Amino acid sequence: MDKLVGKIDWPVFVLSGGALVLFVLASFINVEAVGDIVNLLFGWSVDYFGAFWQVLLLLMLGVSIVLAFSKYGNVRLGEQSEKELSTFRWVSVICISLLGAGGVFWAAAEPMYYFMEVPPVHDGIEPGSPQAVIPAMAQAYVSWGMAAWAALGTTGAIVLMYAVYHKGMPMKPRSMLYPFFGEKIATHKLGTVIDAFCIIAVAAGTIGPIGILGLQVSYGLNALFGLPDIFGIQLVIIGFLLFIVTISAITGVHKGIQWLSKWNIILVFILAGIILIFGPGAYIIDTFVSSFGYHVNHFITLHTYRGDNDWLGAWMLFFFAWFIGFAPMMIMLIARISRGRTIREIILAVAVISPLITNFWFTVVGGSGIYYEQQQPGIISQPLGEGGLPAAIIAVAGQMPFSVVMPFIFLVLAILFVITTADSMTYSISMSMTGEGNPPKPMRVFWAAIMATVAAILIFIGEGSIDALQSFIVVTAVPVSILLLPTIWQAPKIAKRLARDQGLIRKP
């Protein structure tokens, strides 16, 4: 225990943990006031940084794609050639770690929202019409697409892996500033503030889905089996999540996280196959091809739309900020599991393969929902309007092949998604606390327990507190986005330096 205590970065722990405690206490005292303050900061962040986030993500994507397909794409990162995970397991961890409950609940609901109320960027299209299908799916691809994913492990991962593995810096978000500050950033007060903000951002982004999972699965169990939709059931769901994450933490990254991720992605493929074969498969494939083509043709227009700030804050910028808030911890996770990989491999896995899998999965689930809605108007949109996200997935699954068991399977999948995200993020937070690539298991269990406890408390206080915490990730995306900005020009410099060291280009 003494060794564990000695490894903890106490200033970072006090700042990040204190912020969470303060949020919970303030919510107990006056949750409405907390919500008002968060909404005020939310609006300010979207108004003043929204355009910056849109340009930032496009620049990160553009620079990373150029690097991947240039001669620098062959640069190997991590000071070793041996790879720790097979390519399938490696991509599974990357893809599943971020999705969380979004992989189920938003996959069903977001395309339907856009179909029933066409986003303003797609002007002149009648809501609920056949012409609204392609723009609806294409807009969902923007929220969970290549530009958003680029924040999670492209230029940032290159800089961090160089700092940690090639220069001996600690495995912490602050190390992304190594090219500017050198070794002194490891002990500088600025580094403490950076690490604390990054932990607060990902904690807010993880606690929110944990709490929402409790609420949504409780709703689903009530709808499917008549179990009471009460706090006790929600608490049991969160307790089960904590139990699985604890087991995973004890078994380590090579068993726990990668095992959960592998079976998550396998279940996704199995479900997608069943729906394609026995459900509206031709419709799903046609919709995906057409929507992806529309998405590519209008890529810049969709990503740079600035016409309706209220809509942007509620939708596209909210998701962009979510990805940015998660970015430092995802970058650390990717850096941890990607030693021996080339720049090209990492960028393709993060910015191409993962969003393509995500977009196709959204078409399988959300596209099916739109198909059923077109066949029988109101069959999906009405439950969505009355019961929100959990009602949408239950309604969609209830129309799918094998409808008796499909809703239950999707609830299980949602639980697995959130468990994997919580597991991965507690691992990254623990790395931030210790600076080690293999943080102590008790540290991971501790953070899992803290986040589960906070989620349960916020549910007890009221659903508004969960919503406020989720909205707060948009606020934390402001400092995190500033941290990511320098990686856009530092990553190519590092790639060039390593290419020379590895004999890929001639030294001057």
Side-chain angles (χ1 to χ4, degrees):
M1 182 59 70
D2 290 340
K3 290 183 179 180
L4 174 60
V5 171
K7 292 179 179 179
I8 297 173
D9 188 329
W10 286 105
V12 173
F13 179 85
V14 170
L15 282 176
S16 56
L20 289 176
V21 171
L22 183 62
F23 183 89
V24 172
L25 290 176
S27 297
F28 257 121
I29 296 170
N30 192 333
V31 68
E32 291 184 3
V34 170
D36 290 341
I37 293 172
V38 170
N39 288 334
L40 179 66
L41 294 173
F42 180 103
W44 177 85
S45 302
V46 169
D47 289 343
Y48 289 97
F49 283 86
F52 169 61
W53 293 339
Q54 289 170 270
V55 175
L56 174 69
L57 295 184
L58 286 174
L59 287 175
M60 293 184 79
L61 175 63
V63 170
S64 62
I65 293 297
V66 169
L67 282 176
F69 290 99
S70 72
K71 55 190 173 184
Y72 302 126
N74 293 319
V75 168
R76 198 168 296 278
L77 298 170
E79 287 283 70
Q80 69 178 42
S81 58
E82 185 180 350
K83 300 168 185 177
E84 295 187 56
L85 299 175
S86 69
T87 299
F88 177 76
R89 293 180 177 180
W90 176 63
V91 173
S92 297
V93 172
I94 293 171
C95 187
I96 300 299
S97 291
L98 178 96
L99 285 177
V104 174
F105 295 114
W106 280 115
E110 189 177 355
M112 183 58 63
Y113 277 125
Y114 296 151
F115 175 66
M116 300 305 299
E117 189 173 338
V118 180
V121 63
H122 309 278
D123 190 34
I125 297 176
E126 182 182 351
S129 66
Q131 292 73 32
V133 177
I134 303 305
M137 292 308 313
Q139 192 64 53
Y141 297 167
V142 174
S143 301
W144 303 79
M146 294 172 67
W149 275 91
L152 301 177
T154 55
T155 57
I158 293 170
V159 174
L160 184 65
M161 292 183 74
Y162 174 74
V164 173
Y165 299 123
H166 298 260
K167 294 299 178 180
M169 294 295 289
M171 181 67 85
K172 296 184 177 185
R174 69 178 74 184
S175 293
M176 280 190 279
L177 291 181
Y178 171 80
F180 280 111
F181 294 93
E183 294 180 358
K184 66 181 179 181
I185 193 62
T187 55
H188 200 281
K189 291 181 180 179
L190 176 62
T192 300
V193 174
I194 289 170
D195 291 350
F197 260 112
C198 292
I199 290 172
I200 292 168
V202 81
T206 306
I207 291 168
I210 291 173
I212 288 176
L213 180 78
L215 293 168
Q216 293 176 339
V217 173
S218 177
Y219 175 95
L221 293 176
N222 173 261
L224 294 175
F225 305 109
L227 294 177
D229 187 9
I230 57 175
F231 177 69
I233 297 295
Q234 296 154 7
L235 194 61
V236 169
I237 294 165
I238 292 174
F240 175 74
L241 180 147
L242 175 59
F243 174 72
I244 299 299
V245 171
T246 299
I247 293 175
S248 178
I250 292 172
T251 56
V253 67
H254 291 291
K255 293 183 180 179
I257 293 176
Q258 63 104 355
W259 187 89
L260 284 169
S261 301
K262 180 185 73 173
W263 286 105
N264 251 315
I265 203 77
I266 288 173
L267 184 55
V268 163
F269 287 149
I270 291 173
L271 283 173
I274 291 173
I275 296 166
L276 287 172
I277 294 171
F278 298 102
Y283 178 89
I284 291 169
I285 293 172
D286 289 346
T287 300
F288 176 71
V289 173
S290 299
S291 300
F292 195 77
Y294 182 98
H295 171 70
V296 172
N297 288 335
H298 299 83
F299 191 86
I300 299 298
T301 301
L302 294 176
H303 283 79
T304 57
Y305 174 73
R306 297 293 306 159
D308 186 334
N309 232 30
D310 289 338
W311 180 85
L312 283 168
W315 292 102
M316 188 169 76
L317 289 180
F318 176 81
F319 288 111
F320 281 2
W322 192 282
F323 276 81
I324 291 169
F326 266 90
M329 296 302 153
M330 280 294 297
I331 288 170
M332 289 175 59
L333 179 69
I334 290 168
R336 170 62 185 82
I337 64 174
S338 300
R339 295 191 72 178
R341 299 280 175 180
T342 64
I343 287 176
R344 182 176 297 116
E345 286 178 298
I346 293 172
I347 290 171
L348 289 179
V350 175
V352 179
I353 297 173
S354 291
L356 281 176
I357 293 173
T358 303
N359 291 167
F360 186 72
W361 173 248
F362 267 59
T363 311
V364 170
V365 181
S368 294
I370 292 175
Y371 172 82
Y372 298 131
E373 179 71 19
Q374 288 181 304
Q375 301 301 307
Q376 187 177 343
I379 192 68
I380 309 297
S381 59
Q382 186 174 341
L384 175 62
E386 294 174 353
L389 273 62
I393 187 58
I394 291 172
V396 173
Q399 299 299 313
M400 286 179 173
F402 313 107
S403 58
V404 174
V405 298
M406 274 296 190
F408 177 73
I409 292 175
F410 271 95
L411 287 181
V412 171
L413 184 62
I415 293 172
L416 288 175
F417 268 126
V418 175
I419 286 174
T420 306
T421 298
D423 193 12
S424 300
M425 293 306 99
T426 55
Y427 193 94
S428 293
I429 290 173
S430 299
M431 286 194 289
S432 298
M433 284 291 169
T434 62
E436 298 180 351
N438 292 300
K441 294 173 183 177
M443 174 73 74
R444 293 180 59 196
V445 174
F446 170 79
W447 273 101
I450 287 294
M451 290 198 288
T453 301
V454 172
I457 292 172
L458 294 180
I459 289 178
F460 180 77
I461 294 172
E463 192 171 343
S465 59
I466 290 285
D467 294 337
L469 185 62
Q470 283 215 116
S471 297
F472 190 65
I473 196 173
V474 175
V475 181
T476 60
V478 172
V480 172
S481 61
I482 296 172
L483 171 66
L484 295 177
L485 178 62
T487 68
I488 294 172
W489 59 85
Q490 291 297 335
K493 290 181 179 179
I494 290 170
K496 184 177 181 180
R497 189 175 303 138
L498 291 178
R500 286 174 179 167
D501 293 343
Q502 295 175 17
L504 300 175
I505 60 174
R506 290 182 180 180
K507 296 183 179 181

